[in-house]
Amino acid sequence: VRNNHYIIAGSSSLAQSVSKNLADGGAVVTVVCYPDHKKLFPDYMDVVEGDPSAIDTLKQAGADKAKYIISLMDNDADNAFVILTSKEISGEKTKTISLVNESQNMNKIKHVHPDGVLSLQQLGSEILVRALKGEKIDDHVIDIFFVNPVKK
Protein backbone atom coordinates (compact mmCIF):
# COMPACT_ATOMS: atom_id res chain seq x y z
CA VAL A 1 0.00 0.00 0.00
CA ARG A 2 1.54 3.26 -1.13
CA ASN A 3 0.63 5.55 1.74
CA ASN A 4 2.93 7.24 4.27
CA HIS A 5 5.77 5.46 2.48
CA TYR A 6 9.30 6.20 1.34
CA ILE A 7 10.00 6.84 -2.32
CA ILE A 8 13.61 6.29 -3.33
CA ALA A 9 14.45 7.80 -6.71
CA GLY A 10 17.40 6.22 -8.48
CA SER A 11 19.29 2.98 -8.78
CA SER A 12 22.70 4.04 -7.47
CA SER A 13 24.45 1.80 -4.95
CA LEU A 14 23.29 4.19 -2.24
CA ALA A 15 19.68 3.96 -3.49
CA GLN A 16 19.91 0.16 -3.50
CA SER A 17 21.33 0.06 0.03
CA VAL A 18 18.93 2.61 1.55
CA SER A 19 15.84 1.05 -0.02
CA LYS A 20 16.83 -2.46 1.08
CA ASN A 21 17.66 -1.36 4.64
CA LEU A 22 14.41 0.59 5.00
CA ALA A 23 12.35 -2.33 3.63
CA ASP A 24 14.21 -4.87 5.77
CA GLY A 25 13.42 -2.66 8.77
CA GLY A 26 9.70 -2.88 8.02
CA ALA A 27 9.19 0.41 6.17
CA VAL A 28 7.01 0.62 3.08
CA VAL A 29 9.32 1.57 0.22
CA THR A 30 8.73 2.30 -3.44
CA VAL A 31 11.73 2.64 -5.72
CA VAL A 32 11.48 4.77 -8.85
CA CYS A 33 14.14 3.99 -11.44
CA TYR A 34 14.80 4.03 -15.16
CA PRO A 35 13.59 1.04 -17.18
CA ASP A 36 15.93 -1.95 -17.04
CA HIS A 37 17.24 -0.94 -13.60
CA LYS A 38 14.60 -2.94 -11.72
CA LYS A 39 16.94 -5.95 -11.84
CA LEU A 40 19.26 -4.12 -9.40
CA PHE A 41 16.69 -4.46 -6.61
CA PRO A 42 15.42 -7.52 -4.71
CA ASP A 43 12.33 -9.20 -6.18
CA TYR A 44 10.22 -8.22 -3.16
CA MET A 45 10.90 -4.50 -3.71
CA ASP A 46 8.05 -2.33 -5.03
CA VAL A 47 9.61 -0.75 -8.14
CA VAL A 48 8.10 1.75 -10.55
CA GLU A 49 10.01 1.97 -13.81
CA GLY A 50 10.16 5.26 -15.68
CA ASP A 51 11.85 8.65 -15.57
CA PRO A 52 12.22 9.42 -11.84
CA SER A 53 11.78 13.15 -12.51
CA ALA A 54 8.57 12.74 -14.54
CA ILE A 55 5.27 13.75 -12.98
CA ASP A 56 3.47 10.59 -14.18
CA THR A 57 6.16 8.30 -12.76
CA LEU A 58 6.15 9.96 -9.34
CA LYS A 59 2.34 9.97 -9.31
CA GLN A 60 2.36 6.24 -10.05
CA ALA A 61 4.73 5.80 -7.08
CA GLY A 62 2.24 7.62 -4.82
CA ALA A 63 4.15 10.89 -4.36
CA ASP A 64 1.00 12.63 -3.13
CA LYS A 65 0.82 10.24 -0.15
CA ALA A 66 4.54 9.68 0.52
CA LYS A 67 6.22 10.39 3.85
CA TYR A 68 9.57 11.05 2.14
CA ILE A 69 10.81 11.39 -1.41
CA ILE A 70 14.54 10.76 -1.40
CA SER A 71 16.52 11.37 -4.57
CA LEU A 72 19.68 9.24 -4.58
CA MET A 73 20.64 9.40 -8.23
CA ASP A 74 24.22 9.48 -9.50
CA ASN A 75 23.76 12.83 -11.24
CA ASP A 76 23.09 16.05 -9.32
CA ALA A 77 21.00 17.56 -12.14
CA ASP A 78 18.76 14.49 -12.02
CA ASN A 79 18.45 14.88 -8.24
CA ALA A 80 17.47 18.55 -8.65
CA PHE A 81 14.76 17.67 -11.20
CA VAL A 82 13.36 14.92 -8.98
CA ILE A 83 13.08 17.39 -6.09
CA LEU A 84 11.47 20.07 -8.30
CA THR A 85 8.89 17.60 -9.61
CA SER A 86 8.30 16.25 -6.11
CA LYS A 87 7.58 19.73 -4.78
CA GLU A 88 5.01 20.16 -7.54
CA ILE A 89 2.99 17.01 -6.87
CA SER A 90 3.78 15.70 -3.38
CA GLY A 91 1.53 15.89 -0.38
CA GLU A 92 1.63 18.73 2.13
CA LYS A 93 3.46 16.64 4.75
CA THR A 94 5.89 14.95 2.33
CA LYS A 95 9.56 15.69 3.05
CA THR A 96 12.24 15.67 0.37
CA ILE A 97 15.92 14.77 0.65
CA SER A 98 18.47 15.10 -2.12
CA LEU A 99 21.88 13.56 -2.49
CA VAL A 100 24.66 15.88 -3.65
CA ASN A 101 27.35 13.91 -5.46
CA GLU A 102 29.69 16.79 -6.29
CA SER A 103 30.38 19.36 -3.56
CA GLN A 104 30.47 22.22 -6.08
CA ASN A 105 26.75 21.56 -6.77
CA MET A 106 25.65 22.05 -3.15
CA ASN A 107 24.29 25.57 -3.67
CA LYS A 108 22.48 24.55 -6.86
CA ILE A 109 20.72 21.71 -5.02
CA LYS A 110 19.84 24.07 -2.15
CA HIS A 111 18.09 26.38 -4.65
CA VAL A 112 15.45 23.70 -5.30
CA HIS A 113 14.70 23.70 -1.54
CA PRO A 114 14.78 20.06 -0.46
CA ASP A 115 14.04 19.55 3.22
CA GLY A 116 17.39 17.80 3.58
CA VAL A 117 20.61 17.65 1.60
CA LEU A 118 22.89 14.66 1.93
CA SER A 119 26.57 15.16 1.09
CA LEU A 120 28.59 11.99 1.57
CA GLN A 121 31.81 13.90 0.79
CA GLN A 122 31.22 16.33 3.65
CA LEU A 123 30.16 13.58 6.01
CA GLY A 124 33.14 11.37 5.16
CA SER A 125 35.57 14.26 5.46
CA GLU A 126 34.19 15.30 8.84
CA ILE A 127 34.32 11.78 10.26
CA LEU A 128 37.83 11.11 8.95
CA VAL A 129 39.27 14.38 10.24
CA ARG A 130 37.69 13.89 13.67
CA ALA A 131 38.94 10.30 13.85
CA LEU A 132 42.46 11.34 12.85
CA LYS A 133 42.47 14.10 15.48
CA GLY A 134 41.01 11.79 18.15
CA GLU A 135 37.91 13.97 18.46
CA LYS A 136 34.44 12.82 19.43
CA ILE A 137 31.84 12.20 16.73
CA ASP A 138 28.69 13.92 18.01
CA ASP A 139 25.46 15.56 16.85
CA HIS A 140 27.47 18.15 14.90
CA VAL A 141 28.25 15.38 12.42
CA ILE A 142 24.51 14.96 11.82
CA ASP A 143 24.33 18.70 11.06
CA ILE A 144 27.07 18.18 8.44
CA PHE A 145 25.28 15.08 7.13
CA PHE A 146 22.04 16.95 6.54
CA VAL A 147 23.02 20.44 5.51
CA ASN A 148 19.33 21.38 5.69
CA PRO A 149 18.14 19.18 8.57
CA VAL A 150 14.75 17.58 8.10
CA LYS A 151 12.41 18.99 10.72
CA LYS A 152 10.32 16.45 12.58
Side-chain angles (χ1 to χ4, degrees), residues 38-107:
K38 182 176 183 172
K39 63 183 177 272
L40 298 172
F41 296 92
D43 291 337
Y44 62 82
M45 191 68 63
D46 178 27
V47 177
V48 173
E49 292 182 286
D51 177 353
S53 65
I55 288 174
D56 290 343
T57 307
L58 286 173
K59 279 184 178 177
Q60 185 180 350
D64 59 328
K65 296 177 184 170
K67 183 176 186 175
Y68 282 94
I69 300 174
I70 307 162
S71 189
L72 301 177
M73 300 183 72
D74 288 322
N75 180 294
D76 290 334
D78 291 338
N79 287 324
F81 280 113
V82 169
I83 298 302
L84 285 171
T85 305
S86 297
K87 294 286 186 179
E88 187 176 331
I89 64 167
S90 64
E92 203 174 285
K93 295 180 181 181
T94 303
K95 300 290 185 193
T96 57
I97 298 173
S98 178
L99 174 65
V100 176
N101 294 287
E102 303 293 333
S103 297
Q104 70 266 19
N105 293 331
M106 180 65 75
N107 287 334

Side-chain angles (χ1 to χ4, degrees), residues 13 33 48 113 125 132:
S13 349
C33 64
V48 173
H113 304 288
S125 173
L132 292 171

Side-chain angles (χ1 to χ4, degrees), residues 12 16 22 24 27 37-38 57 62 86 90 103 121 125 141 147 150:
S12 65
Q16 293 171 52
L22 279 170
D24 289 351
H37 290 199
K38 182 176 183 172
T57 307
S86 297
S90 64
S103 297
Q121 293 86 355
S125 173
V141 173
V147 177
V150 176

